[in-house]
């Protein structure tokens, strides 16, 4: 297997199932065959997609961290076939993202008479999945927020309970401390547990300090930690680290409207034809990576195609090192087509077509809607 080691990560050329990869990724973007017959690697029928994907999903699941996320792209029908495989592998379905390509995409259907005998499909879909290291809650709709409370490995709840007991207080006294009714159970009970806000944490600490017996260390301040705020920040960091990252961009829903990639932003082969039939907008890779990873975490892409994720990670590492993510992107280079060469040229700023389009290599601009 050929490996291209770049600034932020590695592009592997070959079958990803045999690639030498290190476990611990917190995000996988799975954009493999759709069963539409567009290339030799896409010849399986729609009814065979689930069986085909099963070993790939198994390896993705083994390589990802205990708390992680997966984006699974396909057609609506294809995703419906693969979704049970994801659920059986222990992944929790969170949302279905729809790529709306707009009315301009209808032009590609003119040559197919059958396409005009049903609702025109100008979309692709992406199933968004997560799993958490700690046991999920039984409370519907709150599995992530309350997950930590049902597991004895939750250091935040254990610390709060120990400090409250040391002050001689009962859990219901927390409501007196905060002026609330019923919130005590969320901060001290095992069911529906949630980390207190900073304001609530301050109120609890002040109440414990006032009503608890005197001692050298202030209540709710961790041993060997400077002060109350540092203690809270430490507990929150541990709590957040137990959960998959998710930072929703403002104003973005599960409908992603963007035209099909074209013009100078479409990667092309030496013959001038589109390099890959399924190039996604660069913005989508940027959005998934920023929303579902933290800086310093690693992204796994088993079916690289035009390697948009590598482009984004390299851009982040070069322009803002504090936001850098690592990655391993794998691409089979099937059909005798060199998908990787043009990608490397784009990353290194050697693609003359990109320069002609006003994009002077990768690092001249941020990912944009159509890129």
């Amino acid at each position: 297997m050929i490996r291209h080691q770049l600034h932020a990560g590695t592009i592997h050329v070959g079958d990803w199932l045999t690639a030498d990869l290190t476990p611990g990724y917190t995000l996988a973007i799975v954009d493999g065959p759709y069963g539409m017959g567009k290339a030799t690697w896409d010849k399986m029928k729609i009814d065979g997609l689930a069986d085909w994907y099963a070993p790939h999903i198994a390896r993705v699941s083994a390589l990802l961290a205990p708390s992680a996320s997966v984006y699974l792209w396909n057609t609506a029908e294809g995703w419906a076939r693969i979704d049970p495989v994801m659920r059986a592998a222990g992944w929790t379905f969170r949302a279905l993202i729809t790529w709306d390509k707009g009315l301009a995409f209808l032009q590609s259907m003119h040559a197919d008479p059958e396409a005009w005998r049903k609702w025109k499909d100008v979309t692709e879909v992406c199933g968004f999945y997560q799993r958490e290291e700690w046991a999920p809650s039984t409370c519907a709709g709150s599995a992530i927020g309350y997950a930590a409370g049902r597991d004895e490995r939750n250091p935040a709840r254990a610390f709060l309970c120990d400090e409250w007991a040391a002050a001689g207080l009962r859990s219901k006294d927390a409501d007196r401390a905060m002026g609330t009714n019923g919130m005590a159970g969320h901060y001290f009970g095992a069911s529906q547990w949630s980390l207190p806000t900073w304001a609530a944490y301050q109120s609890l600490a002040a109440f414990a300090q006032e009503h608890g017996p005197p001692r050298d260390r202030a209540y709710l301040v961790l041993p060997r930690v400077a002060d109350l705020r540092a203690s809270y920040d430490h507990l929150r960091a541990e709590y957040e680290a137990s959960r998959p990252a998710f930072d929703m961009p403002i104003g973005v829903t599960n409908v992603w409207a963007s035209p099909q990639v074209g013009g100078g932003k479409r990667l092309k082969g030496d013959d001038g034809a589109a390099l890959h039939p399924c190039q996604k907008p660069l913005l989508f890779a940027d959005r998934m990576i920023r929303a579902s990873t933290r800086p310093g975490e690693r992204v796994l892409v088993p079916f690289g195609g035009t390697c948009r994720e590598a482009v984004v990670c390299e851009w982040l590492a070069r322009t803002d090192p504090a936001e850098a993510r690592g990655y391993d992107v794998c691409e089979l280079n099937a059909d005798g087509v060199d998908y990787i060469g043009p990608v490397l040229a784009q990353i290194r700023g050697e693609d003359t077509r990109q320069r002609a389009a006003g994009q002077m290599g990768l690092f001249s601009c941020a990912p944009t809607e159509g890129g």
Side-chain angles (χ1 to χ4, degrees):
M1 179 171 288
I2 300 172
R3 292 167 26 117
H4 298 280
Q5 183 66 54
L6 300 173
H7 183 73
T10 304
I11 296 178
H12 305 257
V13 184
D15 185 350
W16 94 275
L17 288 175
T18 63
D20 183 15
L21 302 171
T22 302
Y25 305 94
T26 55
L27 171 63
I29 299 174
V30 181
D31 192 2
Y34 284 18
M36 299 178 66
K38 290 190 175 183
T40 57
W41 43 262
D42 192 38
K43 292 298 185 183
M44 75 291 294
K45 300 297 184 182
I46 194 77
D47 290 337
L49 274 183
D51 289 339
W52 190 92
Y53 268 94
H56 298 278
I57 291 173
R59 191 171 194 221
V60 165
S61 301
L63 286 170
L64 262 61
S67 294
S69 303
V70 174
Y71 290 86
L72 174 67
W73 286 92
N74 219 279
T75 62
E77 185 179 8
W79 168 80
R81 306 299 179 92
I82 305 168
D83 174 67
V85 183
M86 288 292 295
R87 295 174 187 259
W91 294 94
T92 300
F93 172 74
R94 297 293 185 204
L96 187 64
I97 298 162
T98 299
W99 175 15
D100 178 4
K101 303 177 187 179
L103 294 178
F105 188 67
L106 289 175
Q107 297 175 1
S108 64
M109 299 181 178
H110 289 171
D112 181 8
E114 287 300 312
W116 294 97
R117 296 183 60 82
K118 58 184 179 182
W119 292 108
K120 310 304 182 291
D121 187 357
V122 295
T123 68
E124 294 179 33
V125 302
C126 178
F128 175 50
Y129 301 84
Q130 291 177 322
R131 70 182 181 192
E132 299 102 38
E133 180 176 8
W134 290 339
S137 169
T138 56
C139 181
S142 59
I144 295 178
Y146 299 142
R150 300 193 64 231
D151 194 294
E152 62 183 11
R153 291 171 293 178
N154 176 8
R157 189 177 78 85
F159 175 71
L160 284 171
C161 290
D162 289 347
E163 291 292 285
W164 212 240
L169 299 170
R170 298 170 296 178
S171 61
K172 66 180 182 181
D173 290 326
D175 281 324
R176 291 174 53 206
M178 298 179 294
T180 59
N181 182 17
M183 284 304 297
H186 289 288
Y187 299 152
F188 294 95
S191 176
Q192 300 188 11
W193 183 85
S194 182
L195 185 73
T197 64
W198 168 234
Y201 196 80
Q202 288 176 290
S203 297
L204 293 170
F207 192 88
Q209 198 68 31
E210 179 183 354
H211 296 279
R215 69 178 194 182
D216 293 338
R217 175 170 56 85
Y219 288 99
L220 273 68
V221 173
L222 288 162
R224 298 179 297 280
V225 174
D227 54 29
L228 189 69
R229 182 72 211 212
S231 297
Y232 180 78
D233 290 344
H234 180 83
L235 292 173
R236 173 163 285 280
E238 284 192 331
Y239 174 57
E240 293 295 340
S242 72
R243 308 161 68 193
F246 188 72
D247 185 9
M248 184 174 66
I250 296 175
V252 177
T253 70
N254 68 329
V255 178
W256 296 0
S258 180
Q260 191 172 31
V261 179
K265 295 177 181 178
R266 185 90 180 194
L267 290 182
K268 297 179 175 62
D270 293 336
D271 60 358
L275 183 68
H276 194 283
C278 305
Q279 181 175 333
K280 298 286 192 302
L282 194 60
L283 175 67
F284 290 2
D286 182 72
R287 182 176 292 166
M288 291 183 287
I289 290 168
R290 288 181 187 267
S292 296
T293 61
R294 303 176 181 92
E297 294 182 343
R298 294 185 298 131
V299 181
L300 172 64
V301 184
F303 310 108
T306 55
C307 305
R308 301 296 81 192
E309 298 80 8
V311 173
V312 167
C313 288
E314 291 294 332
W315 183 84
L316 286 173
R318 301 292 180 90
T319 59
D320 189 356
E323 288 292 315
R325 278 82 162 165
Y327 67 87
D328 284 287
V329 172
C330 306
E331 173 51 44
L332 195 58
N333 265 4
D335 294 338
V337 178
D338 177 19
Y339 295 114
I340 304 301
V343 173
L344 295 175
Q346 185 186 32
I347 289 173
R348 293 165 179 163
E350 300 165 359
D351 190 333
T352 56
R353 286 181 297 276
Q354 292 287 358
R355 292 201 296 272
Q359 294 181 322
M360 299 300 291
L362 170 62
F363 308 116
S364 60
C365 63
T368 57
E369 275 295 332

